[in-house]
Amino acid sequence: MSKNVRLNPKYLETGHIKIDLRKQLHFDPDRLAFNLSFVTRDRRFNFEDKGFSKIVKAKLFDKMVRLSSDNFNVILGWSKSVGLENLPETAVRLAINPEFVQSHRHEDCLPDYWIFRLANTGRVIGKIQEKTFYVLAVDTKFKLYKH
């Protein structure tokens, strides 16, 4: 979607034009949402891997439903087996999708990687910006970090 924008000539003379096209929210999100747009291109840790079976897909969906069903601050208090855990970026060997970095989303994310468990079938690694969990990898082989 594109729109033509006409600016008053007096604003052009200042040289400092900043237009924020984001829509103002009328609510403050308090639950976690998920974005699957920037999963790694590494086939061992994305949705194309053989380990990403129907069982893993079902567990991923169930876990996303569970994590988005309660207040974000409450989820942060859950144990890592049912909620979220975080690890320093240096502890995780992940090739981030370059589009994620190019979008500059990583600059506004919470520090470190955030992980949630899919029982004994895998781990989901991502970054959190505001209340959005960007899924960056699905590790069904338990090879992205030491367990």
Side-chain angles (χ1 to χ4, degrees):
M1 181 175 97
S2 66
K3 291 186 176 184
N4 292 330
V5 178
R6 288 183 14 174
L7 297 174
N8 187 324
K10 72 177 183 179
Y11 294 114
L12 294 174
E13 294 170 6
T14 65
H16 294 94
I17 300 171
K18 183 176 180 182
I19 301 173
D20 189 358
L21 298 177
R22 291 180 290 177
K23 184 175 180 170
Q24 179 68 29
L25 295 178
H26 297 288
F27 67 97
D28 182 21
D30 63 354
R31 294 175 187 242
L32 202 56
F34 293 87
N35 184 310
L36 306 171
S37 301
F38 301 102
V39 175
T40 184
R41 292 179 180 171
D42 185 338
R43 293 177 64 122
R44 297 172 299 163
F45 306 109
N46 66 22
F47 303 133
E48 297 174 29
D49 180 55
K50 292 177 186 175
F52 194 67
S53 65
K54 288 183 180 181
I55 292 170
V56 174
K57 289 176 190 176
K59 289 189 181 287
L60 174 62
F61 180 76
D62 289 344
K63 191 65 170 229
M64 289 190 318
V65 168
R66 180 67 182 113
L67 290 171
S68 63
S69 67
D70 214 336
N71 185 289
F72 180 67
N73 291 328
V74 172
I75 291 169
L76 289 176
W78 293 352
S79 70
K80 66 183 182 180
S81 62
V82 293
L84 300 170
E85 64 178 304
N86 68 327
L87 287 175
E89 289 188 22
T90 56
V92 181
R93 296 179 306 271
L94 173 62
I96 295 179
N97 186 324
E99 291 178 23
F100 185 72
V101 176
Q102 291 166 357
S103 72
H104 298 283
R105 285 173 170 83
H106 69 289
E107 295 172 2
D108 297 325
C109 289
L110 295 175
D112 303 328
Y113 283 117
W114 291 82
I115 298 159
F116 61 87
R117 297 169 181 225
L118 304 175
N120 59 354
T121 61
R123 303 289 188 262
V124 176
I125 295 101
K127 296 288 256 172
I128 298 176
Q129 177 192 42
E130 297 283 328
K131 305 291 187 310
T132 301
F133 188 104
Y134 288 94
V135 175
L136 300 178
V138 180
D139 183 7
T140 59
K141 296 171 183 55
F142 301 94
K143 294 192 175 204
L144 284 178
Y145 63 93
K146 290 185 181 184
H147 295 271

